[in-house]
Amino acid sequence: MSTPLLEVQDLFCERDERVLFEGLNFSLEAGEIIQVEGPNGSGKTTLLRILSGLSQAFEGDILWQGEPIDEVRDDFLSDLLYFGHLPGVKAILTPEENLRWYCALHPHTRTEGITEALANVGLYGYEDVPCHSLSAGQNRRVSLARLYLSDAPLWVLDEPFTAIDKRGVARKEALIAEHAANGGSVILTTHHELAIRDNLRKVTLGGQASPGERMEVV
Amino acid sequence: MAKSWKMPTWFYRLGSPRWSFEIMGKLLPWFAIGAVVLMVWGAIWGLAFAPADYQQGNSFRIIYIHVPAAILAQSCYLLMAVAGAISLIWKMKVADMVAKSCAPIGATLALLALATGAIWGKPTWGTWWVWDARLTSMLILLFLYIGVYTLHSAIENEITAGKAGAVLSLVGVVNIPIIKYSVEWWNTLHQTSTFTMTERPAMPPEMYLPLLLMVIGFYCFFAVVLMLRTRAEILEREKRSGWVRELVEAS
Amino acid sequence: MANGNEREMSLSRVFWITLRRDLMLAYRRRNDLVSPLMFFLMVATLFPLGVSPDPQFLSEVAAGVVWVAALLATLLSMDSLFRSDFDDGSLEQMLLSPQPLSLLVFAKICAHWMISGLPLTLMAPLLGLMLFLPQEGMSTLVLSLLLGTPTLSLIGAIGAGLTVGLRKGGVLISLLVLPLYIPVLIFGTGAVQAASTGLPVGGYLAILGAILALGMVLAPLAVAAGLRISVSD
C-alpha cells in the first residue's frame, strides 16, 4: 500500500476538561472523501481545526504524505483549502477583490477563473457589489467560490452547505465528487445527508461507530 | 514553532509533572532551612551589628530588604521568560507552570522593592517618591509583571494563556535592557537629586557580607515559594491523573 | 536558483498586495481614520486647559505632550489592526496560507503606520505651534516621530496579536504595551528637547533608528506567534 495522503495516529484532544476524542486513528487516501460525523459538541470542528493546523491543542501524530505535519508545514499549506465557520470574506471588499486576495496568498489557484467561479456559485453580476450588501448565504458562497479556483488536493470543509439553498447544495456535492474523482481528497462535516456514495467513508466522533470503520470511539 | 533538538535526558524528565513534583518535594525542606538560616543570620547581623552609614545613619539598613527584593524581582522576570521559552519550544508542561507561578511572585517582589525604596527615600530625600533611575526601572518592571499577569488571567484556556504569557515575557526580556538603559540615560538628563543610590562608595565588608547573606537567603526563599506554587499548580492541572488521585487517597 | 528568485519575487508581491489591500480597506472606511487624529489634537488641548496656558511653561513641556498624545493615539488605533480579520475569518486564511505569516503581518503593520503614525507625524507641527514649541525643535519633532511612530505600531501590534481573541482586548493592549513604549518616549522627547536648546540630535535619532531596526526584525515574529496562539484558542 502506498503512503496515504494524510494519516492520523492516536489523536487525543480534550477541551475544558472533557475528552473530545482519544485514540483516534484514520487515514485519507488520494481520491477519498471522509465525512466526520457526531452530535453537536463532539469535536468535529475541533478535529478539522487540528487537521488544518489552526489548533495545536492535541496529542498524537498527524502525518502528511508520511512526514510529520510540523516538518512539512509549507508543503501541506500549499496543498490545503480550508473552509471554516467564518467565511473569510471582507465585508467592505467586493467578491472579486476578496477572491483576488485569496489567490494572491495561495499558489495553486487560478486568478483568471474568478468571474467563472462566481458565476458557478450563482453570483454572476455581483462581482463589484461590496460583500456587506450581500446576504449571509451569498457571503458563504463567495467563500465557496474558492473551491472552483483552487487546485489544492486536500479540501477541509466545515459545514460547507450551511445557508446554501438546495440547488446550490447539489452543485457543491457534484463538485466535491468531481474533485475526488480527479484524485483530490476531502474531509468535511455536514448535517446534510450526502448523496455521494463513491469513495465516501465516515468517521464518527462521540457517538456510536457505524460498522466497518477503522477508528476507535470514546 | 522551532524544531526540537536533542537535550540531555534529565531535561526531558523535568517535563514530567510527577517527577518534578516529587523532586521539588525533596528539595523543598533544604531550601526552606537555607532560607530561614540565611535570612535570620543576615538580618540580625545587618540590623544589629553592621556599622551605621556615615551619611544616612541607621536608615540605610533597609537595603538588607530593598536590595535583595530588587535583585530577585529582576531575576524572576528572567526565569519567567526562560521558562516560557522552554514551554513554547519543547511544549513542556512544567515549564509553563513555573512561568505562571513566577508572575505574581515577581510582582510582589517588585512591589516590596518599591515600598522599601519609598520608606528609605523619606529620611534620605525627605519625600516618599523620587524619580530615581533604579526606582523608575523597578516601577516599569512592576508594570511588565502586571501586563503578563493580566494577560494570563484574561485568557480562559490554560494552555493558550501560558503560551501568550510566554511570548509577552520574551518580548519584555528583549525590552528590559533597552528600558533600563533609556531610564538611566533619562535620569542623568533630568538630575533631580544630588544623592543617588546608584553611585555609592564601596561598602566595607561588615556591611556587604550581611547583604550577601540576605541576597542568597532571598533566593532560597524565592525557590521555596516558587516550588510551593508550582507544586500546587501541578496538582491542580493533573488532578485527574492516576498518581495525583493516589496521592490524595494516601493522605 | 531560478526557483529561489521566483520565490523572492512572489514574497515581495505578497507584501505589496497585502499592503495595498489594507490601504484600500482603510480608504473605504476613511471616516474611521480621522478619529485617532482628532484624539491626538484633543489630548494636546487638554494640557493648556488642565495645567497652564503660560507660553513659557508650555514650550517646556510641548515635546513631551505631543509625544504622549501620539503614543496614546497610536494605542487607540491598535485594537482594530487584526480585529476585523479575526472576526470575519480572514486571519484564519492568512494563517493557513503558505506565505510566511510574519511577512503578511509586517505588511499590515506598514499599512497601519501609513494610516495612523504618518498622519500623526504630519499633524505634529500644528500641535507644536499650539503648545509654543521652540522653532528650532519643530523639524526634530517631525523627524523623531517619523522614526518613532513605526516602532509604536510594531510594538503595539504585538499587544494586538496577543489580545485579538479576547473581547476586552482594547484596555488590555494598553496594559501590555505602554511599558514597552517607554524607551521610544524617552528618546523621542529627548531629541526634541535637545534640539530646542540647540544641542545636537544625531545621537537620539540614531538610537530611535536602532530601536526601529530591532523592532522591524523581531516584532513581526512575535506578532505572528501571538496570532497563532490567539487563533488556536
Side-chain angles (χ1 to χ4, degrees):
Chain A
M1 206 177 91
S2 65
T3 337
L5 202 58
L6 186 77
E7 202 173 351
V8 170
Q9 295 172 347
D10 199 20
L11 204 65
F12 167 87
C13 174
E14 66 174 352
R15 206 175 171 85
D16 303 326
E17 314 222 326
R18 197 165 59 87
V19 176
L20 288 178
F21 38 82
E22 64 185 325
L24 183 62
N25 292 292
F26 66 86
S27 62
L28 177 70
E29 311 279 342
E32 251 188 333
I33 302 170
I34 285 188
Q35 183 184 0
V36 182
E37 286 184 326
N40 286 335
S42 59
K44 300 190 292 287
T45 294
T46 306
L47 176 61
L48 261 48
R49 285 174 66 85
I50 288 174
L51 292 180
S52 68
L54 281 177
S55 172
Q56 298 284 332
F58 66 92
E59 282 162 39
D61 295 304
I62 303 173
L63 305 180
W64 175 249
Q65 295 174 336
E67 307 268 356
I69 203 155
D70 273 339
E71 287 170 23
V72 289
R73 181 63 64 193
D74 278 2
D75 294 340
F76 169 71
L77 290 177
S78 310
D79 289 345
L80 168 76
L81 186 154
Y82 174 79
F83 177 88
H85 275 210
L86 300 166
V89 170
K90 270 259 165 295
I92 43 176
L93 294 181
T94 66
E96 191 185 332
E97 285 164 344
N98 269 305
L99 293 175
R100 268 186 193 285
W101 153 252
Y102 180 81
C103 290
L105 290 196
H106 292 80
H108 297 305
T109 44
R110 296 177 302 270
T111 318
E112 62 281 3
I114 288 180
T115 319
E116 200 191 326
L118 283 172
N120 276 326
V121 291
L123 287 172
Y124 181 76
Y126 288 95
E127 293 89 346
D128 295 327
V129 179
C131 288
H132 58 72
S133 24
L134 302 180
S135 72
Q138 282 174 318
N139 267 309
R140 289 186 73 80
R141 281 193 272 160
V142 173
S143 189
L144 279 173
R146 294 185 287 136
L147 299 181
Y148 292 96
L149 295 173
S150 178
D151 292 329
L154 176 65
W155 292 359
V156 174
L157 313 174
D158 195 357
E159 299 289 349
F161 307 131
T162 307
I164 306 286
D165 56 39
K166 244 184 193 159
R167 209 168 59 91
V169 171
R171 293 184 68 166
K172 297 303 153 326
E173 273 201 53
L175 184 66
I176 289 170
E178 190 192 319
H179 179 66
N182 290 336
S185 309
V186 183
I187 301 178
L188 81 164
T189 63
T190 177
H191 288 296
H192 166 87
E193 194 59 42
L194 284 176
I196 305 171
R197 289 284 167 266
D198 297 340
N199 302 318
L200 178 73
R201 268 192 313 130
K202 293 186 177 182
V203 166
T204 309
L205 299 177
Q208 236 39 53
S210 17
E213 271 170 17
R214 278 197 262 160
M215 63 151 297
E216 296 162 43
V217 175
V218 189
Chain B
M1 229 38 38
K3 253 186 219 175
S4 316
W5 55 86
K6 275 275 169 232
M7 296 290 282
T9 343
W10 61 264
F11 184 80
Y12 290 101
R13 280 170 70 191
L14 266 179
S16 144
R18 180 180 188 174
W19 190 82
S20 305
F21 183 85
E22 281 163 4
I23 201 84
M24 279 187 225
K26 282 182 194 141
L27 290 174
L28 254 175
W30 297 105
F31 277 98
I33 294 168
V36 170
V37 168
L38 286 168
M39 284 166 82
V40 169
W41 184 10
I44 294 177
W45 188 358
L47 296 181
F49 297 102
D53 189 80
Y54 73 101
Q55 258 184 328
Q56 303 177 44
N58 280 325
S59 66
F60 95 95
R61 292 184 199 276
I62 203 166
I63 61 161
Y64 294 116
I65 299 178
H66 175 77
V67 171
I71 291 176
L72 226 72
Q74 296 175 46
S75 316
C76 182
Y77 199 94
L78 196 63
L79 177 65
M80 181 170 74
V82 170
I86 291 174
S87 82
L88 277 183
I89 297 168
W90 289 282
K91 297 185 176 172
M92 198 179 276
K93 284 186 199 166
V94 179
D96 179 34
M97 300 180 204
V98 169
K100 188 194 170 188
S101 311
C102 275
I105 305 177
T108 315
L109 286 164
L111 204 60
L112 181 66
L114 284 172
T116 49
I119 295 168
W120 188 11
K122 187 64 182 163
T124 314
W125 294 309
T127 54
W128 293 106
W129 180 258
V130 165
W131 290 95
D132 163 81
R134 284 203 174 180
L135 283 179
T136 310
S137 294
M138 191 51 63
L139 183 63
I140 298 169
L141 186 66
L142 176 66
F143 291 163
L144 290 174
Y145 274 122
I146 291 173
V148 174
Y149 185 76
T150 321
L151 181 65
H152 216 293
S153 47
I155 303 175
E156 267 173 41
N157 184 321
E158 197 71 52
I159 293 161
T160 316
K163 284 183 184 171
V167 170
L168 186 64
S169 47
L170 282 171
V171 171
V173 144
V174 174
N175 268 274
I176 283 178
I178 304 176
I179 293 174
K180 267 189 97 80
Y181 169 72
S182 65
V183 168
E184 259 161 41
W185 179 86
W186 158 84
N187 195 244
T188 54
L189 195 72
H190 307 264
Q191 195 76 53
T192 48
S193 57
T194 46
F195 173 82
T196 58
M197 294 183 192
T198 349
E199 288 161 26
R200 290 182 49 81
M203 278 192 219
E206 57 272 33
M207 268 164 119
Y208 76 69
L209 279 179
L211 183 59
L212 195 66
L213 289 181
M214 284 302 276
V215 171
I216 302 171
F218 257 71
Y219 268 102
C220 291
F221 174 69
F222 169 69
V224 171
V225 179
L226 184 67
M227 285 195 281
L228 284 175
R229 281 195 81 100
T230 309
R231 271 165 62 98
E233 191 70 31
I234 291 176
L235 289 184
E236 169 67 29
R237 289 203 207 172
E238 301 283 310
K239 62 180 173 231
R240 280 172 303 116
S241 69
W243 68 271
V244 174
R245 281 188 189 156
E246 277 169 33
L247 208 71
V248 173
E249 276 158 25
S251 68
Chain C
M1 278 307 275
N3 212 343
N5 212 359
E6 204 172 82
R7 172 117 183 115
E8 225 163 75
M9 288 273 292
S10 92
L11 283 185
S12 70
R13 197 171 143 262
V14 165
F15 175 83
W16 288 113
I17 286 179
T18 310
L19 183 73
R20 223 186 55 196
R21 167 184 179 266
D22 268 41
L23 290 178
M24 186 155 75
L25 287 171
Y27 176 73
R28 295 221 174 133
R29 311 198 53 183
R30 48 193 173 279
N31 290 339
D32 294 1
L33 300 183
V34 185
S35 340
L37 287 177
M38 289 304 110
F39 180 81
F40 184 46
L41 185 64
M42 286 177 195
V43 169
T45 315
L46 293 181
F47 279 84
L49 293 173
V51 194
S52 155
D54 172 34
Q56 180 65 40
F57 164 78
L58 282 178
S59 75
E60 255 176 57
V61 297
V65 172
V66 176
W67 256 98
V68 168
L71 201 138
L72 294 177
T74 310
L75 205 54
L76 189 76
S77 64
M78 228 56 240
D79 187 45
S80 62
L81 179 56
F82 301 115
R83 178 72 58 199
S84 80
D85 283 338
F86 180 81
D87 288 342
D88 64 24
S90 305
L91 194 57
E92 281 181 357
Q93 295 300 338
M94 277 165 67
L95 257 66
L96 292 181
S97 88
Q99 313 298 343
L101 183 59
S102 48
L103 180 77
L104 300 178
V105 160
F106 185 59
K108 283 185 74 73
I109 298 172
C110 288
H112 178 267
W113 176 74
M114 285 182 193
I115 57 180
S116 67
L118 188 59
L120 288 180
T121 306
L122 297 177
M123 212 175 123
L126 176 66
L127 274 72
L129 276 178
M130 286 166 66
L131 298 169
F132 307 103
L133 182 77
Q135 206 56 49
E136 305 78 46
M138 211 60 102
S139 57
T140 311
L141 176 69
V142 174
L143 264 178
S144 68
L145 283 169
L146 205 58
L147 283 169
T149 46
T151 314
L152 299 184
S153 290
L154 285 160
I155 298 175
I158 299 175
L162 284 170
T163 56
V164 71
L166 303 168
R167 282 292 137 221
K168 51 183 170 182
V171 193
L172 198 55
I173 291 186
S174 323
L175 285 188
L176 307 190
V177 162
L178 273 178
L180 304 174
Y181 276 176
I182 289 169
V184 182
L185 175 71
I186 289 177
F187 289 111
T189 50
V192 185
Q193 280 166 350
S196 306
T197 47
L199 294 169
V201 293
Y204 301 87
L205 296 180
I207 291 174
L208 281 175
I211 297 178
L212 174 59
L214 187 71
M216 285 192 349
V217 176
L218 294 182
L221 298 174
V223 179
L227 287 174
R228 284 190 200 286
I229 293 166
S230 291
V231 169
S232 76
D233 193 10

